[in-house]
Amino acid sequence: MGRCCHHIARRRIGEFPISLAIVLTFGWALFCSWLFTLWEDWDIWTSLYFLFQSITTIGFGDITPKRPRYMVFSFVLILVGLALVSMCINLVLLKLEHLVEELAQRIEKNHAVDEEESTSDMANAHESVDKLA
């Protein structure tokens, strides 16, 4: 029962459009970058660079927030960004798994049809040989 429910949940998650997830992630990045421009007096490119480093967990450390009163808010923004990036990666993974499953089913179906045709061809060949004999 648990496996069935897990499969249904994965299918429902897999139906979420990847393009929408990517737009949400980029929208969140732009929103967070705009907030960092207000809080840290950075330009938009510096804010995007900091956010990209933080969300991808590269974190060179060359740009760090200077205002401690916004640290908790920054942490929450980055945490939500990490979740969005993870969601995008998982959606792509689910779509790829679904495509591979469909491909495997098509191959099995084609293989079964080929086996039926070869069996019927063998039967026809045996009948032809019997008629000639």
Side-chain angles (χ1 to χ4, degrees):
M1 179 67 177
R3 184 178 177 136
C4 177
C5 292
H6 178 69
H7 181 69
I8 291 171
R10 286 181 63 194
R11 187 172 358 143
R12 285 186 182 163
I13 292 170
E15 292 173 359
F16 193 82
I18 294 175
S19 57
L20 179 60
I22 291 172
V23 167
L24 280 173
T25 304
F26 278 111
W28 184 258
L30 290 174
F31 172 71
C32 292
S33 297
W34 173 73
L35 285 177
F36 285 128
T37 60
L38 298 176
W39 294 344
E40 298 294 331
D41 297 325
W42 294 336
D43 63 351
I44 191 72
W45 299 112
T46 304
S47 298
L48 280 170
Y49 175 71
F50 169 74
L51 192 68
F52 176 77
Q53 282 184 349
S54 300
I55 288 177
T56 57
T57 66
I58 294 172
F60 292 128
D62 54 345
I63 297 174
T64 56
K66 303 286 190 255
R67 305 227 167 103
R69 64 180 171 193
Y70 296 120
M71 286 295 186
V72 172
F73 297 118
S74 299
F75 176 74
V76 170
L77 293 176
I78 291 169
L79 192 63
V80 171
L82 281 167
L84 287 171
V85 169
S86 176
M87 177 186 66
C88 288
I89 291 170
N90 285 332
L91 284 174
V92 169
L93 178 68
L94 286 173
K95 292 287 185 181
L96 286 174
E97 285 179 356
H98 182 69
L99 287 173
V100 168
E101 286 174 2
E102 282 183 359
L103 183 63
Q105 288 174 355
R106 286 182 187 174
I107 289 172
E108 287 177 7
K109 183 179 177 182
N110 288 339
H111 182 68
V113 168
D114 289 344
E115 277 187 8
E116 287 176 11
E117 289 176 359
S118 66
T119 334
S120 66
D121 288 344
M122 289 290 282
N124 290 338
H126 285 296
E127 288 175 15
S128 298
V129 169
D130 288 342
K131 286 180 184 177
L132 289 175

